[in-house]
Amino acid sequence: MSDWLSTFPGYSQLLSTGKKVFGRIIQTGPTPQHVGIVMDGNRRYAKSHKIEIKEGHNRGFEAMAKILELLYECGVKYATMYAFSIENFKRPKQEVNWLMSLAKSRIIEMTQHGELCEKYGIRVQIVGDTYMLPEDVRSILDKVEDMTKNNKRAVLNICFPYTSRYEMTQAVRSVVDKSSKDRDFIIDESAIEDHLYTSDAPPLDLLIRTSGTYRLSDFLLWQCVPSSCAVVFTKKLWPDFTPWDLCKILVFWSFNKYWYGNSNGYSVSYKSTAEEDDVGSIKNDVTPSSSGMSTGFDRYLYDYDTNSDTTPIDTRDSESTAEQETIISDNSEQKSAK
Amino acid sequence: MVESLVRRKSGTNGTTIVVGRTSEAEKIDRRDRGEKEVTKAARSLISNFLHGGEGTGAAGQSGLNLVLFYVNHAILLAIFFLISIYKNVEFVYHRVMLKFLTLAYYPNKTPQLIREDVTKLNKIPRRISCILNLKYEDDENGGIDGLVNDISELAAWSLSAGIPSLSVYEYSGAVSDHLQQLCRSISKTLSVYFGSDSMPSYCVRVPHTNTLIYNINTENPTSQAPPEKVDLEITLLSRVDGKPTIVELTKTMSELVNKELAVNDITVDLIDEELVELVGKEPDLLVSFGPCLDLQDYPPWHIRLSEIYWEQDNLDVNYAVFVRALQQYSNCKINVGK
């Protein structure tokens, strides 16, 4: 279907214009700043389409370029792609070698004149334990990092080779090292966060895992556990994952953020109920300002409350409001007792 | 503005690519300069629309951009409106599905029925972990009592399914202050399921406070020594077992370093060993009983390869979700890296 469509003249122009328009529209609402993607399913794609495994990986890299284009069009500042896991070294030697050479050529291609990096001003960072890579690959990756280091608009983190446990271990090690040298060094969560590979990035907002696997597979574990991060699993294999699928994910993310204030959707966790309490205190204020409420859902709740407060029919309205107040204070006491 | 239109046309036509590219560079430049002048809301759009010269009048430019911002925002809100309708329909669908599933899978407090559901599966997890939410005291099955009930039911289901280890994550860790009540409730539930004569033994562990309560069949209270093996190990986790534990571990290591520990001795295996000791082993299956997937600061080290399951719009702990999680796990294929 899409092959047939793409033969029409002006198809690619239409697509790129469509991406631009979508980017403009979605940027008027909340957009994620940092997106992590697990590119999984290349080999299954190759198997199901009866093509060679290396061709499957090749298609994967092609898909990556398209997806990245849309991401940066939508105002994403940081994209973190899981290209190669440390565990992937266990794969057959031939496949690993092929992956290495493919990564080399594709990453260089991206940074060439007029390609993705120049178009969107992307700084490429190679994240992970690069000392495990062969010498030639490492030198090329270093060169690429050096070439793009002056780009300021967006950042592309390529995890190559990476596992989150290694990352956390490395962070712990450098924190321990630092504190052994400097006695006043305070060890807390932010200290460890500052030593993770993604220390300069904003907190992760969205993590996408393709290929219908409901696992994180050692990717950005520390970064993705806070409630502020939405974890999205899709059934599509990575080469099948089109910008259109990403559009849907981004719009839903934006909707959840706008309406619920939580990118996951409506959540009933203790944490979010605690946050609702804060909103409640704003509500009880004498002069509530709608600026304090950042989400559509809050505003809705607020409107609902004020309507019920300000439309008294009974003559006993002062009593009933007093009652309401006591109920509210009771609740808050109970919550604080918890 | 006319000039800008011409430029953009020439850019999109693709005939004069060089011009298009220089305008990209200009775009970045302008954005940096323009940032101070324009309002925050329109700022992101300025970068996309400011192609023309500055002589055209900054006021007119920003006015136009503001109008364009509102047009785009209106489109976004229209999309959000459609999404909200879709979400409502989806919500109803999910609730009906869940209702149907609860009827289809009803444990009826008999282990045999659960066993029948489980024997169809080709593998079951050894360790299961559940994320529970503390609800409001006033809600149905809410507060501490509700949590305690849920944990007891989960314990009975896990035992019937033959899972030897259950860990329960709740953000605030409120249950760990009510261990007496919890043990009483679990014993009661288990006696309902299994009969008071053949009640399985279990132990409740709170890693953070380092407490361990054994509950052996109270037939022979003389044997005070902890038994060799219990049928079910219940672990209560909370936020403190996640990142704060890793921070504590880092602190301990930084005290030991240069005395008993070298910085290079800190490896993935060492940290893994310590965290298994401090928190527990990594679960095979993680079930979230919330309306959406929200990891709520779950211990990041421990969700590396855990299969994650949640049921959209599900509000409470119910058996259908539990069984469906086991079904998903039995179908998953874990290949670490390969």
Side-chain angles (χ1 to χ4, degrees):
Chain A
M1 175 66 183
S2 62
D3 290 346
W4 171 76
L5 263 181
S6 62
T7 57
F8 272 77
Y11 177 75
S12 60
Q13 273 93 342
L14 192 74
L15 264 188
S16 65
T17 319
K19 276 182 187 174
K20 277 212 175 75
V21 169
F22 177 77
R24 264 177 228 166
I25 290 174
I26 202 158
Q27 276 187 51
T28 61
T31 43
Q33 293 298 296
H34 185 183
V35 176
I37 298 181
V38 185
M39 303 187 283
D40 185 25
N42 290 341
R43 286 188 305 170
R44 264 171 281 170
Y45 177 86
K47 231 175 252 174
S48 65
H49 284 68
K50 299 205 167 49
I51 52 176
E52 269 189 84
I53 286 178
K54 55 183 183 181
E55 187 52 34
H57 287 303
N58 210 355
R59 297 262 175 100
F61 270 98
E62 274 168 25
M64 182 172 114
K66 277 191 266 176
I67 295 294
L68 283 176
E69 210 177 11
L70 179 63
L71 277 181
Y72 292 122
E73 214 49 271
C74 293
V76 171
K77 294 280 181 310
Y78 273 79
T80 306
M81 313 295 275
Y82 201 5
F84 196 82
S85 156
I86 291 173
E87 312 282 351
N88 288 151
F89 280 117
K90 289 184 198 158
R91 286 182 181 179
K93 199 153 183 68
Q94 204 188 349
E95 201 194 332
V96 173
N97 286 342
W98 171 251
L99 267 170
M100 290 291 160
S101 63
L102 189 68
K104 255 193 315 196
S105 61
R106 285 292 178 167
I107 291 173
I108 289 174
E109 199 184 297
M110 259 194 314
T111 52
Q112 260 160 9
H113 193 60
E115 286 297 325
L116 200 69
C117 288
E118 195 181 294
K119 210 160 141 198
Y120 295 98
I122 300 167
R123 179 159 54 95
V124 178
Q125 280 183 329
I126 308 297
V127 162
D129 301 273
T130 37
Y131 64 88
M132 295 179 182
L133 293 172
E135 192 59 49
D136 58 324
V137 179
R138 202 166 27 167
S139 67
I140 281 181
L141 295 181
D142 283 347
K143 213 171 82 192
V144 165
E145 276 189 338
D146 196 53
M147 259 164 68
T148 57
K149 68 169 186 249
N150 292 325
N151 293 340
K152 294 224 163 54
R153 277 184 65 198
V155 177
L156 169 65
N157 290 324
I158 300 178
C159 299
F160 193 79
Y162 170 93
T163 62
S164 195
R165 283 193 170 182
Y166 270 84
E167 183 191 21
M168 284 190 260
T169 309
Q170 173 271 340
V172 168
R173 198 186 296 140
S174 36
V175 167
V176 167
D177 192 37
K178 219 168 211 176
S179 75
S180 71
K181 282 173 189 143
D182 175 14
R183 281 286 136 201
D184 300 327
F185 188 75
I186 299 161
I187 299 174
D188 56 4
E189 276 178 44
S190 62
I192 292 187
E193 247 148 56
D194 288 342
H195 288 86
L196 293 172
Y197 293 136
T198 55
S199 55
D200 55 343
L204 190 69
D205 293 315
L206 176 63
L207 193 143
I208 301 170
R209 165 103 206 211
T210 55
S211 84
T213 313
Y214 294 86
R215 252 169 287 137
L216 299 171
S217 296
D218 227 337
F219 182 57
L220 298 181
L221 299 180
W222 179 286
Q223 292 90 335
C224 81
V225 288
S227 296
S228 60
C229 176
V231 183
V232 178
F233 297 99
T234 78
K235 286 235 162 60
K236 290 214 171 173
L237 300 175
W238 175 249
D240 281 331
F241 189 75
T242 55
W244 171 244
D245 298 306
L246 184 67
C247 281
K248 281 193 277 187
I249 291 173
L250 286 173
V251 165
F252 273 95
W253 188 95
S254 191
F255 175 81
N256 286 336
K257 194 83 178 169
Y258 180 80
W259 189 242
Y260 300 115
N262 181 354
S263 49
N264 286 305
Y266 186 52
S267 141
V268 289
S269 68
Y270 177 78
K271 210 174 170 186
S272 62
T273 48
E275 275 159 15
E276 271 168 34
D277 280 356
D278 294 344
V279 176
S281 65
I282 295 166
K283 266 186 269 177
N284 296 339
D285 234 312
V286 190
T287 50
S289 60
S290 57
S291 62
M293 284 156 289
S294 50
T295 72
F297 196 48
D298 290 343
R299 284 188 290 274
Y300 168 76
L301 287 178
Y302 168 71
D303 287 346
Y304 183 75
D305 261 42
T306 44
N307 282 344
S308 60
D309 277 357
T310 52
T311 49
I313 323 144
D314 279 12
T315 47
R316 304 170 293 153
D317 72 282
S318 58
E319 270 176 53
S320 65
T321 47
E323 236 173 61
Q324 271 181 359
E325 267 173 28
T326 52
I327 288 165
I328 288 162
S329 63
D330 273 8
N331 278 341
S332 59
E333 267 165 34
Q334 278 173 0
K335 258 143 236 161
S336 60
K338 267 182 217 165
Chain B
M1 203 50 218
V2 178
E3 190 194 344
S4 79
L5 281 174
V6 172
R7 280 246 181 124
R8 277 177 54 205
K9 260 195 180 161
S10 65
T12 45
N13 272 340
T15 47
T16 50
I17 311 160
V18 187
V19 174
R21 221 175 270 147
T22 46
S23 70
E24 289 289 339
E26 262 178 45
K27 208 165 82 178
I28 304 165
D29 194 14
R30 287 283 148 63
R31 196 187 63 149
D32 293 346
R33 260 182 282 167
E35 269 191 349
K36 290 160 201 154
E37 298 157 25
V38 287
T39 57
K40 198 189 168 197
R43 191 181 292 163
S44 59
L45 283 151
I46 292 288
S47 64
N48 288 324
F49 289 103
L50 256 188
H51 287 260
E54 264 167 21
T56 43
Q61 279 287 345
S62 68
L64 181 74
N65 282 312
L66 211 63
V67 169
L68 279 169
F69 173 84
Y70 280 116
V71 168
N72 282 323
H73 196 56
I75 297 172
L76 187 72
L77 290 181
I79 297 172
F80 282 175
F81 176 68
L82 294 177
I83 289 178
S84 69
I85 294 174
Y86 169 75
K87 282 232 165 188
N88 276 300
V89 174
E90 199 190 28
F91 176 77
V92 171
Y93 171 73
H94 282 145
R95 297 301 297 176
V96 171
M97 258 311 266
L98 272 169
K99 202 83 209 161
F100 173 75
L101 285 171
T102 353
L103 292 175
Y105 297 107
Y106 187 65
N108 203 17
K109 300 210 187 296
T110 35
Q112 285 77 19
L113 283 178
I114 299 174
R115 199 143 269 289
E116 258 170 44
D117 286 332
V118 172
T119 42
K120 290 175 202 155
L121 308 173
N122 48 24
K123 65 171 172 181
I124 55 163
R126 286 186 54 74
R127 279 174 290 276
I128 186 169
S129 184
C130 302
I131 299 179
L132 301 187
N133 295 310
L134 181 64
K135 294 178 199 157
Y136 284 120
E137 203 83 11
D138 309 333
D139 287 357
E140 187 192 345
N141 208 12
I144 299 289
D145 297 337
L147 265 185
V148 165
N149 278 340
D150 289 342
I151 296 172
S152 327
E153 288 290 322
L154 279 172
W157 298 337
S158 313
L159 266 172
S160 316
I163 300 163
S165 167
L166 164 76
S167 67
V168 175
Y169 179 84
E170 195 275 313
Y171 183 80
S172 62
V175 203
S176 48
D177 301 329
H178 300 78
L179 286 177
Q180 289 285 322
Q181 190 191 347
L182 179 69
C183 285
R184 232 178 296 134
S185 171
I186 293 175
S187 299
K188 205 173 133 199
T189 314
L190 289 186
S191 69
V192 170
Y193 271 77
F194 295 91
S196 48
D197 301 332
S198 55
M199 209 181 79
S201 61
Y202 65 89
C203 67
V204 179
R205 199 164 71 92
V206 186
H208 178 57
T209 52
N210 212 358
T211 42
L212 183 59
I213 300 176
Y214 281 102
N215 200 305
I216 321 136
N217 212 339
T218 42
E219 288 293 289
N220 45 352
T222 46
S223 61
Q224 282 297 318
E228 298 276 295
K229 195 170 166 290
V230 286
D231 296 322
L232 179 70
E233 190 188 320
I234 301 168
T235 315
L236 301 179
L237 299 176
S238 64
R239 198 200 122 78
V240 284
D241 296 301
K243 291 179 183 176
T245 303
I246 298 179
V247 172
E248 284 304 315
L249 182 65
T250 315
K251 279 183 189 162
T252 323
M253 281 177 172
S254 73
E255 277 160 24
L256 288 176
V257 88
N258 295 334
K259 288 170 213 152
E260 296 160 45
L261 189 81
V263 173
N264 286 331
D265 286 345
I266 301 172
T267 58
V268 175
D269 295 330
L270 178 76
I271 294 184
D272 190 44
E273 205 178 292
E274 293 296 325
L275 284 177
V276 164
E277 190 108 326
L278 287 169
V279 180
K281 280 188 181 156
E282 183 185 353
D284 298 321
L285 174 64
L286 177 70
V287 191
S288 171
F289 288 97
C292 58
L293 180 64
D294 183 357
L295 292 170
Q296 301 181 30
D297 283 328
Y298 193 88
W301 192 268
H302 294 83
I303 44 169
R304 187 172 70 121
L305 294 174
S306 313
E307 186 80 9
I308 298 170
Y309 187 85
W310 79 105
E311 193 79 55
Q312 201 73 37
D313 297 321
N314 162 53
L315 290 172
D316 43 26
V317 175
N318 77 49
Y319 176 69
V321 177
F322 183 80
V323 164
R324 278 165 67 84
L326 290 182
Q327 283 168 352
Q328 184 186 306
Y329 179 78
S330 78
N331 291 326
C332 83
K333 182 168 156 273
I334 299 178
N335 37 2
V336 190
K338 282 184 189 158

